[in-house]
């Protein structure tokens, strides 16, 4: 069905565009060197690790995953300076790595560093 989603999705998003929003509490486990696009925009690529317990069909489920990420702009510089093992909340969307690879990559729009209590 190529009509912009279900009735429920359309009510939640009246523009008719498909919703692709992703928030993840994660740990920074890998990162490349900070680079810049040809236009001079900072860009950082790396990997996040997530551990949690979720409820699936009424049953607790242990969730562990890793996802590659891309972060552009000023926050890329902040994350490039953070030590590996830093906890954060990342918000963004998921997209294919490239036209040839359908592997999902998180494109982060914002990050919030989390201090452990």
């Amino acid at each position: 069905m190529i009509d912009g989603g279900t009735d429920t999705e359309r009510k939640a998003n009246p523009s008719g565009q498909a919703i692709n929003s992703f928030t993840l509490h994660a740990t920074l486990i890998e990162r490349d060197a900070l680079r810049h696009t040809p236009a001079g925009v900072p860009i950082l690529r790396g990997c996040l690790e997530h551990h949690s317990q979720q409820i699936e069909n009424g049953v607790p489920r242990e969730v562990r995953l890793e996802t590659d990420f891309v972060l552009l702009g000023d926050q890329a510089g902040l994350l490039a300076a953070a030590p590996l093992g830093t906890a954060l909340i990342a918000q963004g969307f998921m997209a294919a790595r490239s036209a040839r690879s359908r592997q999902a990559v998180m494109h982060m729009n914002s990050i919030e560093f989390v201090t452990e209590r």
Side-chain angles (χ1 to χ4, degrees):
M1 184 162 95
I2 308 176
D3 67 354
T6 65
D7 288 338
T8 302
E9 289 169 333
R10 278 191 293 279
K11 288 176 187 170
N13 185 8
S15 70
Q17 294 180 345
I19 297 171
N20 180 353
S21 180
F22 201 70
T23 300
L24 190 66
H25 187 163
T27 302
L28 178 65
I29 60 169
E30 292 178 19
R31 68 163 176 269
D32 296 342
L34 182 66
R35 297 184 12 246
H36 291 80
T37 67
V41 178
I43 182 170
L44 184 68
R45 296 179 188 276
C47 187
L48 299 175
E49 180 179 58
H50 169 82
H51 298 265
S52 67
Q53 187 175 78
Q54 303 296 318
I55 303 298
E56 181 177 34
N57 196 30
V59 179
R61 177 180 176 178
E62 194 72 24
V63 176
R64 295 178 179 271
L65 65 91
E66 293 181 5
T67 184
D68 290 343
F69 71 83
V70 176
L71 178 61
L72 291 120
D74 294 337
Q75 289 193 332
L78 294 174
L79 192 55
L84 295 180
T86 295
L88 59 102
I89 298 171
Q91 294 182 322
F93 61 93
M94 301 302 286
R97 179 176 302 282
S98 68
R100 291 185 178 180
S101 172
R102 305 315 299 163
Q103 181 181 4
V105 174
M106 183 175 188
H107 288 252
M108 296 191 295
N109 290 323
S110 69
I111 57 171
E112 177 184 339
F113 294 109
V114 177
T115 55
E116 301 297 326
R117 296 178 190 197

